[in-house]
Amino acid sequence: MIVLFDMFGVIARDQSAEVMATMSSSPEFWDAYWAHRPAYDRGDVTASEYWQLIGHPPLVEQDVASWSRVDDEMVALLGTLHAAGQRIALLSNIPEDHARNFEQTYAWLDLFEVRGFSCRIGAAKPEAAAFEWCRDALGGGEILFVDDKLENVQAAERLGMRGHHFTGIDGLRTVLGSTARPSM
């Protein structure tokens, strides 16, 4: 079995409310931010085009910082799985600026056999093409997809993958069994 992880809300924490507050308190800003995000995540638009669509001067550094916190316990779990010989991969909705930041900052990304960054594969969850790209890149086989968004888990299941709706590390450890426990 291959474990295919989502990044944000599973390995990396959700967007920082503190950093978001420095970006804007305007509901119109955030409506535009989210309305245009899928195209940015897929790589259909560049950072400068994205911020133009929002109608705001670029806040690339703040945006990247708002998504850059990781869960150290989950990172340790990745190391445990990798050390046990478990095949692991990543599928993340992420714009290019963010992907580059993660690659330059976090060596643990090298643990993944395949990294499906939406900005580089031209498809974003829950689109079937995102899951198909990962399945093909991994050479098929049984895949367990782990995501905090139920709609993404259900999309993976419709394509024949097993799914786990992530609500915390303990539930994931239960699903993964002994492979997810550090050796003593």
Side-chain angles (χ1 to χ4, degrees), residues 27-71:
E28 293 80 14
F29 170 90
W30 290 107
D31 288 346
Y33 178 95
W34 291 112
H36 299 290
R37 197 65 179 207
Y40 187 35
D41 283 345
R42 260 193 318 276
D44 295 343
V45 298
T46 65
S48 99
E49 291 168 331
Y50 170 69
W51 290 101
Q52 235 177 347
L53 289 167
I54 292 175
H56 195 280
L59 296 172
V60 176
E61 287 181 26
Q62 294 97 316
D63 193 36
V64 169
S66 75
W67 291 103
S68 295
R69 301 172 305 146
V70 300
D71 182 329

Side-chain angles (χ1 to χ4, degrees), residues 76-152:
L77 176 62
L78 295 174
T80 298
L81 293 171
H82 186 265
Q86 174 66 60
R87 293 177 69 192
I88 59 175
L90 182 69
L91 175 57
S92 181
N93 289 355
I94 187 170
E96 183 62 38
D97 301 305
H98 297 246
R100 275 195 313 271
N101 177 67
F102 265 82
E103 289 171 329
Q104 293 166 359
T105 306
Y106 299 112
W108 50 262
L109 282 172
D110 292 338
L111 299 174
F112 295 111
E113 179 178 331
V114 166
R115 282 184 249 166
F117 289 148
S118 60
C119 61
R120 297 180 184 162
I121 67 174
K125 301 171 291 173
E127 297 166 7
F131 298 101
E132 291 165 347
W133 184 94
C134 285
R135 183 191 58 216
D136 294 347
L138 290 164
E142 183 183 1
I143 298 172
L144 171 66
F145 177 63
V146 178
D147 197 305
D148 63 312
K149 291 187 172 55
L150 187 57
E151 73 175 311
N152 293 339

